[in-house]
C-alpha cells in the first residue's frame, strides 16, 4: 500500500515542476503573451502595408517607363513589320530599359514565334496574362516566382494611334523585371521588425516582474500571516496600505484574526475554568472520601462481630463508599478528557507483559484466558493501556460471561496496527444497545445498572484509545458473546524496531504458542469469525503462561 | 512493624488513615501541619513518612525538601490532586512514591510495604550477581561506587543519595553502556507489583543527576537515550 504511493509522489512532483504553476510565473507568462501578440499584430500589419506600398510603387514606375518607351519607339515600326523589324524593336526596347534591367519580348500577331533562346532570360508568359493582353487588350501585370526569385511580369498591348479610332494593334510587348531590390527592402523591414520585437519582449519581462511583485508581495504577506495564525500566533495583523482590493483583503483578514483571537481567548478561559472546577471538585470530593475509604476495610472486618442489622448497614456503607470513590475517579478522568488535560506519557513497553500485569493487579489471571505473543513492543502509555484493558475485561467479566479471552495479535511488519481483542462468552450485546455501548452513563440493562461500575468505564476506555489515535469497536460473535476490538496505531519507526532487534524474542515467544495449538493469527481470525470453540483448547495455554510470570 | 509519620491537615482523613494503619499493626504518629511533622521527626524516628501535598503554612513540597535535606527517609506523597503536574512536582521534590486519595487501607499498606522493601538497601542477599568479585569498589570517572558499603563518592566526598537514587545508580552502573527503558527500570529497580508510573523514573533520574553530575543539564554519567530510556555512560 505504501510502495505505490511513494512511487507516485515524485511523478506528481516532476509534473508540477515542469508546469509553471506559481502566480508569479503565470503573471509573467500572461504579460509576455500580451506583449508578443500585440507586437506581432503590429508588425504583421505594418509589414503588409509597407510591402504593398513598395511593390505598388515599383510596378507603377515600371509600367510607366515601359509605356513611355513603347510609345516613343512604336511609331518607327513598319506596318506590317517583318521578323527582323520586330526583333529590332524588341532589342531597342531592351536596350532602353538597361537601367531597369528588364527583359523584353515582343509579339506580333500573325508572325511566327522567334527563337527565344537568344534572350538572356526567356520570358515565359502565363496563358491568362497573354489572354488578357492579346484578346482583351488591357495592360496586365503579375508577380511571379521564378527559381525562388520574385519577378514582375508586365504585358502591354500597343495601340494604333495612326488611324482616327484607337484600335488595338496586333503588337504586344511583354517585359519581365526582377523585384530583387524591392524584396530586399521588404526583408529589411521584416528583420527590422524582428530586431525591434525581441528586445521589446525582453523589456516586457521587467514590467511583468514588477507587476507580479506588486501583486505577489501582499499575497505573500497574507500567506505568511495565515501561516502564523495557523501556528497559533493569533496576534498577527497585516499592514493595510492604499485603498485597493488587496487593502480590503488585508482589512478583512485582520478582522478575521481579531475575531479568532477573541473567541480563542474565550475558549481558553472557559477551558481553564472547567479545568479549575474539575480540580476543585476532585479535591473537595476526594478529601472526605479519603477518610471514608481508608476505614472501610476496618468496617468490613468488624461487621461479623456486630448484630445482623448493623452488620448489613456497615457492609452497605463500605460497599457504597467504594463505589462512590470509583465514580469520583471516573468523573475526574472524564472531566480531564473533556478539558483536554489528559496527557499521553508514551513509553516503550512489552504489550503482553503490560496486559498480564493489568490482570495480575486485579487478580483476574484465573478467570481470563490469554493469548499474548511475547516480544510485541510498542510505544504507548502503559497507564492508559492498563485502564483500557481493565475496563474491557472488567466489563466482560461482569456483563458478559466467562470464559473471557484476551487476544493480542502481533503486528505484521509494516502493518502499523496493534490489535487487542477481548472476547466473552455471554449472551452478547443487544443490537439496539450496540451503537451506544461507549456512551457515558449508558446502561445496557437497567436491572443490572447499579450492580457494578459507574457507566463511565467504556467511555473512559474509548477516550484513552482515542488519545492514542486508535479505534475501539464492539461487536457480537455469531454464536453469542461480545467482542471488543482495540486497534492502536504503531508509529512507523516502532514497527521497524519491532521487526528488527526483538526478532529473537519474537521467535522464542512463538514456539510455545505453536505448542498450544492454534497459532496466534489463527486464533485472532477464529474470534473474528465468532468461533467459540478454540476457547477450550486454549484453556491450557494461559495456565502455563501464568506460571511463567 | 513500621513506624509511620502521617502529616495531613484534614482531621477526618488523619483519623481515618491513622485508624486503618493502626489496625494493620503500624505505629502511627499524626501531625496536622508540616511544622508539627518536622518537630515530631527527631523524637518519633519514623521508618516512613506519609505526606499530604496541600498543607497550611509549609506545603508538602517544602516539607519533603526539608526532610530530604536532613535524612534519607522514604516519603510517600498523599495527594488529592491526581493531576500530572502535582505528581511530577511531588516526585521531583524527592518523594519515593505517591498515592492519589482516596485510597483503601490495604492499598496504603501495600504501597508503604513496597516502598520500604525497595528502599531497604540491598544489604541482605538482594545484592545480585555483581557481589562475588573481590573488587566491589568501582570507579567511573570521578565517581566511586562501593557496592558492598553502599557508598557513592565523587572526588573523594561521599554523596548523600536517597535509597531509590542509590538503587537506580547501582542498577545502571552494573552494566555501563546498556540502555534501559523507563519501563524496564521500573520493573527492575522499583519492583512494582502494582502498575508503575514512568514518571517515578524520570523524577528519580533528575534527582540523581543533581547529585552526581557536574552539570545536570548535560549529564555525563546517567545519559538519556531519546525515545528509549537511560543508560550509564559510556564516559
Amino acid at each position: 500500500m505504501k510502495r505505490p504511493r511513494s512511487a507516485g509522489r515524485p511523478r506528481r512532483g516532476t509534473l508540477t515542476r515542469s508546469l509553471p504553476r506559481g502566480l508569479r510565473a503565470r503573471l509573467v507568462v500572461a504579460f509576455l503573451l500580451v506583449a508578443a501578440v500585440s507586437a506581432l499584430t503590429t508588425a504583421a500589419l505594418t509589414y503588409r502595408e509597407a510591402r504593398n506600398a513598395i511593390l505598388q510603387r515599383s510596378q507603377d514606375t515600371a509600367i510607366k517607363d515601359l509605356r513611355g518607351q513603347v510609345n516613343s519607339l512604336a511609331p518607327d515600326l513598319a506596318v506590317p513589320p517583318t521578323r527582323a523589324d520586330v526583333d529590332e524593336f524588341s532589342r531597342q526596347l531592351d536596350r532602353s530599359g538597361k537601367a531597369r534591367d528588364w527583359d523584353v519580348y515582343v509579339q506580333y500577331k500573325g508572325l511566327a514565334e522567334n527563337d527565344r533562346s537568344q534572350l538572356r532570360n526567356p520570358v515565359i508568359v502565363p496563358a491568362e496574362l497573354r489572354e488578357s493582353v492579346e484578346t482583351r487588350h488591357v495592360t496586365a501585370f503579375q508577380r511571379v516566382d521564378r527559381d525562388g526569385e520574385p519577378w514582375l511580369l508586365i504585358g502591354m498591348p500597343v495601340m494604333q494611334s495612326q488611324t482616327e479610332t484607337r484600335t488595338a494593334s496586333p503588337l504586344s510587348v511583354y517585359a519581365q523585371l526582377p523585384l530583387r531590390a524591392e524584396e530586399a527592402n521588404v526583408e529589411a523591414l521584416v528583420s527590422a521588425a524582428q530586431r525591434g520585437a525581441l528586445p521589446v519582449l525582453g523589456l516586457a519581462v521587467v514590467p511583468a516582474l514588477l507587476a507580479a511583485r506588486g501583486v505577489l508581495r501582499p499575497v505573500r504577506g497574507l500567506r505568511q500571516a495565515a501561516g502564523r495564525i495557523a501556528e497559533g500566533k493569533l496576534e498577527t495583523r497585516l499592514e493595510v496600505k492604499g485603498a485597493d482590493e488587496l487593502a480590503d483583503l488585508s482589512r478583512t483578514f485582520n478582522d478575521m484574526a481579531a475575531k479568532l483571537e477573541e473567541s480563542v481567548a474565550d475558549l481558553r478561559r472557559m477551558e481553564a475554568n472547567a479545568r479549575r472546577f474539575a480540580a476543585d471538585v476532585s479535591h473537595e470530593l476526594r478529601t472526605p472520601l479519603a477518610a471514608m475509604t481508608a476505614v472501610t476495610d476496618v468496617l468490613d472486618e468488624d461487621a461479623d462481630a456486630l448484630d445482623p442489622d448493623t452488620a448489613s448497614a456497615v457492609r452497605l456503607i463500605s460497599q457504597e463508599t467504594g463505589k462512590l470513590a470509583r465514580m469520583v475517579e471516573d468523573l475526574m478522568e472524564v472531566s480531564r478528557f473533556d478539558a483536554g488535560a489528559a496527557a499521553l506519557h508514551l513509553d516503550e513497553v512489552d504489550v503482553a507483559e503490560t496486559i498480564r500485569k493489568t490482570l495480575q493487579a486485579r487478580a483476574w489471571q484465573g478467570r481470563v484466558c490469554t493469548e499474548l505473543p511475547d516480544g510485541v513492543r510498542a510505544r504507548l502509555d502503559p497507564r492508559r493501556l492498563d485502564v483500557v484493558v481493565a475496563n474491557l475485561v472488567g466489563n466482560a467479566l461482569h456483563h458478559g460471561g466467562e470464559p473471557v479471552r484476551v487476544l493480542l495479535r502481533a503486528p505484521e511488519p509494516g502493518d502499523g496496527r496493534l490489535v487487542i481483542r477481548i472476547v466473552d462468552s455471554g449472551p452478547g450485546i443487544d443490537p439496539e444497545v450496540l451503537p451506544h455501548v461507549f456512551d457515558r452513563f449508558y446502561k445496557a440493562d437497567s436491572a443490572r445498572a447499579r450492580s457494578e461500575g459507574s457507566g463511565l468505564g467504556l467511555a473512559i476506555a474509548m477516550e484513552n484509545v482515542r488519545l492514542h489515535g486508535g479505534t475501539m469497536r464492539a461487536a457480537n460473535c455469531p454464536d453469542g458473546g461480545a467482542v471488543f476490538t482495540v486497534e492502536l496505531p504503531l508509529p512507523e519507526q516502532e514497527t521497524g524496531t519491532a521487526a528488527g532487534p526483538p526478532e529473537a524474542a519474537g521467535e522464542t515467544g512463538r514456539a510455545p504458542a505453536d505448542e498450544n495449538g492454534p497459532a496466534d493469527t489463527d486464533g485472532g481470525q477464529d474470534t473474528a469469525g465468532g468461533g467459540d470453540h478454540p476457547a477450550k483448547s486454549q484453556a491450557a495455554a494461559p495456565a502455563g503462561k501464568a506460571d511463567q510470570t | 512493624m513500621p513506624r509511620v509519620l502521617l502529616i495531613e491537615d484534614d482531621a477526618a482523613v488523619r483519623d481515618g488513615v491513622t485508624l486503618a494503619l493502626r489496625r494493620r499493626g503500624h505505629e502511627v504518629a499524626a501531625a496536622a501541619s508540616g511544622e508539627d511533622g518536622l518537630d515530631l521527626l527527631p523524637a518519633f524516628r519514623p521508618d516512613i513518612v506519609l505526606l499530604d501535598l496541600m498543607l497550611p503554612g509549609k506545603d508538602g513540597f517544602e516539607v519533603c525538601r526539608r526532610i530530604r535535606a536532613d535524612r534519607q527517609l522514604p516519603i510517600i506523597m498523599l495527594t488529592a490532586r491526581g493531576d500530572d503536574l502535582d505528581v511530577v512536582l511531588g516526585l521531583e521534590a524527592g518523594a519515593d512514591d505517591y498515592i492519589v486519595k482516596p485510597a483503601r487501607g490495604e492499598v496504603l499498606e501495600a504501597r508503604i510495604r513496597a516502598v520500604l522493601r525497595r528502599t531497604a538497601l540491598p544489604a541482605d542477599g538482594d545484592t545480585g550477581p555483581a557481589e562475588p568479585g573481590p573488587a566491589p569498589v568501582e570507579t567511573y570517572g570521578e565517581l566511586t561506587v562501593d557496592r558492598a558499603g553502599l557508598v557513592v563518592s565523587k572526588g573523594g566526598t561521599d554523596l548523600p543519595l536517597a535509597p531509590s537514587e542509590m538503587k537506580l545508580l547501582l542498577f545502571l552502573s552494573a552494566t555501563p553502556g546498556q540502555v534501559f527503558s523507563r519501563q524496564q527500570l521500573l520493573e527492575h529497580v522499583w519492583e512494582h507489583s502494582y502498575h508503575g508510573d514512568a514518571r517515578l523514573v524520570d523524577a528519580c533520574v533528575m534527582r540523581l543527576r543533581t547529585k552526581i553530575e557536574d552539570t545536570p543539564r548535560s549529564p555525563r554519567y546517567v545519559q538519556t537515550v531519546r525515545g528509549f530510556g537511560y543508560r550509564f555512560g559510556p564516559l
Side-chain angles (χ1 to χ4, degrees):
Chain A
M1 182 105 184
K2 258 156 225 148
R3 295 270 158 69
R5 204 188 303 158
S6 63
R9 212 171 283 148
R11 201 181 307 151
R12 210 176 303 150
T14 49
L15 197 73
T16 45
R17 229 171 295 133
S18 67
L19 289 173
R21 287 264 172 127
L23 209 49
R24 177 202 299 274
R26 285 202 305 223
L27 275 172
V28 169
V29 166
F31 220 94
L32 286 183
L33 273 179
V34 169
V37 165
S38 51
L40 277 180
T41 318
T42 315
L45 288 175
T46 314
Y47 167 73
R48 212 183 66 186
E49 291 305 311
R51 183 183 136 98
N52 280 350
I54 288 172
L55 292 179
Q56 197 70 50
R57 208 193 52 206
S58 61
Q59 273 162 23
D60 289 353
T61 42
I63 290 168
K64 211 174 96 206
D65 284 359
L66 186 61
R67 187 178 301 286
Q69 293 300 328
V70 169
N71 284 351
S72 64
L73 291 174
D76 302 341
L77 195 63
V79 182
T82 60
R83 180 75 257 165
D85 290 338
V86 170
D87 282 351
E88 180 55 30
F89 178 64
S90 110
R91 210 169 300 120
Q92 275 173 337
L93 273 178
D94 208 11
R95 209 177 301 124
S96 73
K98 265 291 171 263
R100 301 208 63 96
D101 195 21
W102 61 34
D103 301 318
V104 176
Y105 160 63
V106 177
Q107 167 76 35
Y108 192 82
K109 207 180 266 171
L111 209 67
E113 298 269 315
N114 88 335
D115 180 22
R116 290 193 204 163
S117 59
Q118 59 180 325
L119 286 166
R120 281 174 305 164
N121 288 302
V123 178
I124 297 156
V125 182
E128 311 97 73
L129 189 73
R130 185 185 291 269
E131 193 192 311
S132 58
V133 172
E134 287 173 20
T135 7
R136 286 161 47 216
H137 304 291
V138 287
T139 306
F141 61 89
Q142 188 176 5
R143 256 174 257 154
V144 292
D145 199 58
R146 200 158 287 162
D147 304 330
E149 297 253 317
W151 290 85
L152 181 67
L153 197 61
I154 305 171
M156 188 181 286
V158 178
M159 297 302 158
Q160 277 178 331
S161 52
Q162 292 98 326
T163 50
E164 301 291 288
T165 49
R166 282 170 62 93
T167 50
S169 78
L171 186 72
S172 337
V173 178
Y174 296 94
Q176 69 175 10
L177 64 163
L179 288 174
R180 218 174 296 121
E182 285 73 14
E183 198 64 24
N185 280 346
V186 169
E187 261 163 30
L189 211 63
V190 171
S191 66
Q194 270 174 356
R195 267 196 300 262
L198 283 180
V200 160
L201 274 185
L203 277 179
V205 174
V206 176
L209 284 175
L210 283 177
R213 210 175 71 139
V215 175
L216 286 183
R217 208 179 24 202
V219 170
R220 199 183 309 130
L222 201 61
R223 192 196 64 201
Q224 278 165 353
R228 274 200 295 277
I229 285 202
E231 280 166 22
K233 292 175 192 148
L234 298 177
E235 69 286 348
T236 308
R237 295 291 181 277
L238 285 173
E239 198 186 332
V240 180
K241 267 188 294 193
D244 55 0
E245 289 84 347
L246 284 167
D248 278 348
L249 183 59
S250 302
R251 217 171 286 125
T252 317
F253 179 89
N254 285 347
D255 287 351
M256 182 202 76
K259 292 254 165 58
L260 196 64
E261 195 177 10
E262 211 171 289
S263 48
V264 166
D266 276 353
L267 277 178
R268 292 240 170 91
R269 207 162 32 244
M270 281 156 68
E271 199 179 305
N273 283 346
R275 232 177 263 193
R276 200 166 40 242
F277 179 74
D280 289 348
V281 169
S282 140
H283 183 249
E284 294 312 313
L285 281 176
R286 271 170 173 163
T287 307
L289 272 174
M292 289 155 75
T293 317
V295 295
T296 48
D297 10 303
V298 177
L299 291 182
D300 279 343
E301 279 168 30
D302 289 359
D304 297 339
L306 302 170
D307 82 45
D309 280 1
T310 319
S312 57
V314 160
R315 285 205 187 91
L316 187 69
I317 291 274
S318 157
Q319 224 175 41
E320 293 301 301
T321 307
K323 253 183 235 167
L324 191 58
R326 263 201 304 281
M327 167 86 95
V328 167
E329 273 322 297
D330 287 353
L331 276 175
M332 287 311 110
E333 192 66 14
V334 165
S335 70
R336 263 198 293 274
F337 277 117
D338 287 355
L344 208 54
H345 295 280
L346 292 177
D347 204 350
E348 173 151 341
V349 295
D350 184 323
V351 182
E353 193 56 38
T354 312
I355 294 176
R356 234 172 264 140
K357 278 220 183 100
T358 300
L359 301 179
Q360 226 169 15
R362 290 162 182 83
W364 283 340
Q365 305 106 297
R367 302 169 67 188
V368 176
C369 313
T370 55
E371 221 177 272
L372 306 170
D374 287 328
V376 180
R377 296 194 74 89
R379 204 169 160 70
L380 39 81
D381 187 332
R383 202 168 57 90
R384 298 198 180 279
L385 181 66
D386 172 65
V387 170
V388 171
V389 174
N391 269 314
L392 291 178
V393 173
N395 186 65
L397 285 172
H398 297 305
H399 300 300
E402 296 182 39
V404 170
R405 286 176 296 144
V406 179
L407 313 161
L408 170 67
R409 202 181 72 194
E412 306 282 315
D415 185 12
R417 281 178 320 145
L418 187 76
V419 180
I420 301 168
R421 282 202 178 84
I422 285 103
V423 188
D424 69 51
S425 314
I429 306 169
D430 187 341
E432 281 178 30
V433 172
L434 208 51
H436 304 288
V437 280
F438 298 118
D439 291 356
R440 290 171 188 178
F441 294 116
Y442 193 89
K443 309 248 164 118
D445 180 355
S446 53
R448 222 165 32 186
R450 299 265 304 134
S451 65
E452 190 79 30
S454 57
L456 287 172
L458 287 179
I460 289 173
M462 181 69 145
E463 296 281 6
N464 276 308
V465 170
R466 260 193 217 142
L467 201 62
H468 279 92
T471 58
M472 181 148 104
R473 288 190 312 270
N476 280 322
C477 297
D479 38 342
V483 193
F484 286 84
T485 309
V486 176
E487 286 189 9
L488 298 174
L490 295 175
E492 202 67 35
Q493 85 227 37
E494 245 46 66
T495 52
T497 54
E503 197 74 84
E507 289 304 324
T508 51
R510 217 157 282 151
D514 288 343
E515 270 170 42
N516 292 335
D520 33 50
T521 42
D522 293 347
Q525 272 156 8
D526 273 349
T527 43
D532 226 5
H533 317 288
K536 289 251 166 60
S537 65
Q538 282 160 10
K545 279 195 180 154
D547 285 347
Q548 283 171 11
T549 47
Chain B
M1 268 299 167
R3 299 156 66 84
V4 181
L5 173 61
L6 171 68
I7 305 179
E8 163 68 64
D9 63 323
D10 188 275
V13 178
R14 201 166 57 230
D15 292 349
V17 171
T18 307
L19 184 61
L21 290 178
R22 282 220 177 104
R23 282 290 289 243
R24 291 169 187 279
H26 295 274
E27 206 172 312
V28 183
S33 72
E35 288 83 353
D36 290 356
L38 289 172
D39 290 346
L40 267 176
L41 214 52
F44 184 63
R45 292 195 292 113
D47 299 308
I48 191 163
V49 177
L50 281 185
L51 181 60
D52 185 17
L53 268 185
M54 311 228 311
L55 290 171
K58 280 194 179 70
D59 68 1
F61 306 113
E62 175 65 24
V63 175
C64 183
R65 272 190 286 272
R66 290 285 293 274
I67 298 175
R68 272 273 173 270
D70 290 348
R71 56 196 82 204
Q72 304 307 330
L73 196 59
I75 299 172
I76 296 180
M77 294 283 191
L78 202 57
T79 169
R81 300 204 158 202
D83 289 353
D84 294 340
L85 185 66
D86 293 315
V87 170
V88 169
L89 284 177
L91 291 174
E92 282 175 1
D96 294 283
D97 201 355
Y98 65 91
I99 298 174
V100 178
K101 290 193 236 180
R104 293 177 54 206
E106 61 181 41
V107 173
L108 291 172
E109 159 89 7
R111 301 284 281 257
I112 289 173
R113 287 201 179 281
V115 169
L116 283 175
R117 195 167 56 236
R118 68 166 200 265
T119 50
L121 285 165
D124 34 77
D126 198 25
T127 30
E131 198 61 30
V137 179
E138 297 156 12
T139 310
Y140 308 98
E142 285 179 57
L143 216 58
T144 313
V145 180
D146 178 354
R147 285 186 185 276
L150 294 173
V151 178
V152 175
S153 54
K154 186 183 175 190
T157 41
D158 289 358
L159 297 174
L161 293 189
S164 43
E165 294 154 18
M166 175 71 84
K167 276 196 107 176
L168 177 67
L169 181 61
L170 291 182
F171 180 77
L172 283 173
S173 63
T175 50
Q178 187 180 339
V179 185
F180 295 97
S181 74
R182 292 174 177 78
Q183 201 61 33
Q184 282 171 312
L185 290 173
L186 209 53
E187 285 159 18
H188 287 108
V189 180
W190 273 260
E191 298 163 22
H192 269 220
S193 48
Y194 57 90
H195 221 79
D197 191 326
R199 287 170 298 182
L200 281 171
V201 183
D202 291 336
C204 188
V205 166
M206 236 183 89
R207 281 184 277 130
L208 181 61
R209 276 179 182 163
T210 58
K211 291 179 184 171
I212 65 169
E213 302 286 354
D214 303 321
T215 44
R217 293 252 158 235
S218 53
R220 215 174 130 220
Y221 300 104
V222 180
Q223 299 173 359
T224 307
V225 182
R226 257 186 87 83
F228 196 78
Y230 299 102
R231 70 163 179 241
F232 188 83
L235 296 180

